[in-house]
Amino acid sequence: MSDLLNLNRLIFYTTVVDTGSFTLAAERLGVAKAVVSHQVARLEQELGVTLLTRTTRRLHATDEGHLFYDRCVIILREAEAAYAEMSQKASEPSGMLTLTASLDYGAAVVAPTIAAYRQRFPQMQVNVIFDDDVMDLVAGQVDLAIRVGWLANSSNQARRLGTFDQYLVAAPSLIGAMPSISTPADVANLPWVANAALRNPLRWVFSHAERETVTIDVNCPVTADKTPAAYACVLAGVGVSVFPDYMAAKDIEAGRLVRMLPDWSLPAGGIYAVFPPARFRPARVRAFVDMLKAAERRRAAQTMAGSDLAADAP
């Protein structure tokens, strides 16, 4: 069966019929005349019919040969169209992009990137799942996951897009009622809002100038199940908490939040594009990841500029 499906052999035969000569067919295909003659003879042997009659001047297709030639032309045309279609799909985004991201990063960075993606590729459809739970990409038929923080070992493939810092923040109304805050020990007994989406929302490690490290256990009278809920509570003045820079930077710049202990740093996390195991990534995925990478570079630059302005403020 594999010999009968040899497309090269069909190309040799149809070229011989088109040119009427083994010699001309070999010249057109860029191979030796003996190769063309051998392949056509193999084809006749496999089919058990005579495809060509040979005269001193020219080759002619038999009745069976004409019928087979017509079928071969259709097969080769369809094969060429299939190859061209797959090549185009490999280079141009098409179809449906299914992706997942955490609620906070999804709202801050992924959603605007989807808008830019749809503007550039209006033929694309996007199915987006914003959830703090880690999905099984294969079982959920997800093309791409955007994950922030620290990746667990898995069979998935990952590409790092950037990093983020973590800020300890509180609403100005709450800051005004607090005692003087200068070290991490000063914030341990403040009212905290625990973010249950984190692995350990009650313990935080602060570093100062990469030399001094302080670990604190905090008191959390309020616990929120998801990051946006914890953030809303902090904005309302319920308590203090830690959030990534991509979530808090704009509210800090606008004065809706105050960054506490700016001379102390918390562990930085990574931002990753995670893919299910596959040899090739579809163009729809590659294009979105490239756009998200560019968006992340712009966001990081804006966050850095905002931090520099805050540091220079009197």
Side-chain angles (χ1 to χ4, degrees):
M1 180 63 71
S2 60
D3 287 337
L4 292 179
L5 296 177
N6 189 321
L7 294 183
N8 283 333
R9 199 163 289 162
L10 302 187
I11 293 172
F12 289 140
Y13 172 67
T14 55
T15 305
V16 169
V17 175
D18 289 338
T19 60
S21 165
F22 284 118
T23 300
L24 294 177
E27 291 176 357
R28 178 179 293 184
L29 295 171
V31 298
K33 175 183 175 182
V35 173
V36 178
S37 178
H38 175 72
Q39 292 298 322
V40 172
R42 285 284 305 275
L43 193 57
E44 289 182 315
Q45 182 180 6
E46 290 161 358
L47 295 173
V49 298
T50 299
L51 298 173
L52 298 169
T53 58
R54 298 155 178 83
T55 65
T56 55
R57 291 188 175 185
R58 190 173 176 86
L59 297 175
H60 298 277
T62 63
D63 289 344
E64 293 83 358
H66 277 300
L67 178 62
F68 187 65
Y69 171 84
D70 292 339
R71 294 296 184 110
C72 288
V73 169
I74 295 173
I75 292 170
L76 294 174
R77 185 184 300 124
E78 287 298 318
E80 183 179 3
Y83 184 86
E85 183 179 356
M86 289 301 101
S87 297
Q88 183 178 18
K89 285 184 177 297
S91 61
E92 296 182 6
S94 62
M96 170 80 77
L97 172 67
T98 299
L99 65 95
T100 182
S102 63
L103 289 163
D104 52 357
Y105 190 78
V109 183
V110 176
T113 304
I114 292 173
Y117 181 76
R118 283 275 301 122
Q119 185 174 10
R120 182 177 298 182
F121 306 110
Q123 77 279 9
M124 284 300 306
Q125 295 179 301
V126 179
N127 178 27
V128 61
I129 305 161
F130 286 168
D131 199 319
D132 289 336
D133 293 336
V134 176
M135 292 185 62
D136 184 322
L137 303 188
V138 176
Q141 298 183 319
V142 177
D143 295 313
L144 170 67
I146 308 302
R147 291 180 178 158
V148 297
W150 297 264
L151 291 181
N153 292 329
S154 74
S155 60
N156 295 323
Q157 302 165 342
R159 174 184 172 187
R160 186 165 175 158
L161 303 179
T163 61
F164 66 89
D165 291 324
Q166 299 189 93
Y167 295 161
L168 174 64
V169 296
S173 60
L174 188 63
I175 292 287
M178 288 181 183
S180 177
I181 302 297
S182 60
T183 70
D186 295 331
V187 301
N189 294 319
L190 294 178
W192 280 66
V193 176
N195 181 1
L198 302 179
R199 293 180 183 176
N200 190 349
L202 304 182
R203 173 165 291 185
W204 297 96
V205 179
F206 290 83
S207 300
H208 186 266
E210 299 182 356
R211 293 189 300 270
E212 183 181 0
T213 299
V214 176
T215 300
I216 63 171
D217 293 307
V218 300
N219 172 40
C220 296
V222 175
T223 299
D225 64 335
K226 296 185 183 299
T227 304
Y231 194 74
C233 288
V234 172
L235 277 172
V238 172
V240 305
S241 197
V242 173
F243 297 101
D245 57 7
Y246 56 77
M247 194 173 191
K250 290 183 178 179
D251 284 322
I252 293 172
E253 185 178 356
R256 291 183 290 269
L257 288 176
V258 176
R259 182 182 177 187
M260 305 171 66
L261 301 178
D263 293 333
W264 291 79
S265 62
L266 290 153
I271 300 167
Y272 302 90
V274 180
F275 317 91
R279 187 175 179 184
F280 300 104
R281 295 173 192 150
R284 63 182 180 271
V285 175
R286 298 196 307 269
F288 188 84
V289 170
D290 288 343
M291 292 183 68
L292 189 59
K293 175 75 172 179
E296 179 54 33
R297 285 197 299 266
R298 292 192 298 271
R299 182 204 67 78
Q302 291 168 357
T303 300
M304 179 66 71
S307 296
D308 291 343
L309 288 174
D312 293 338

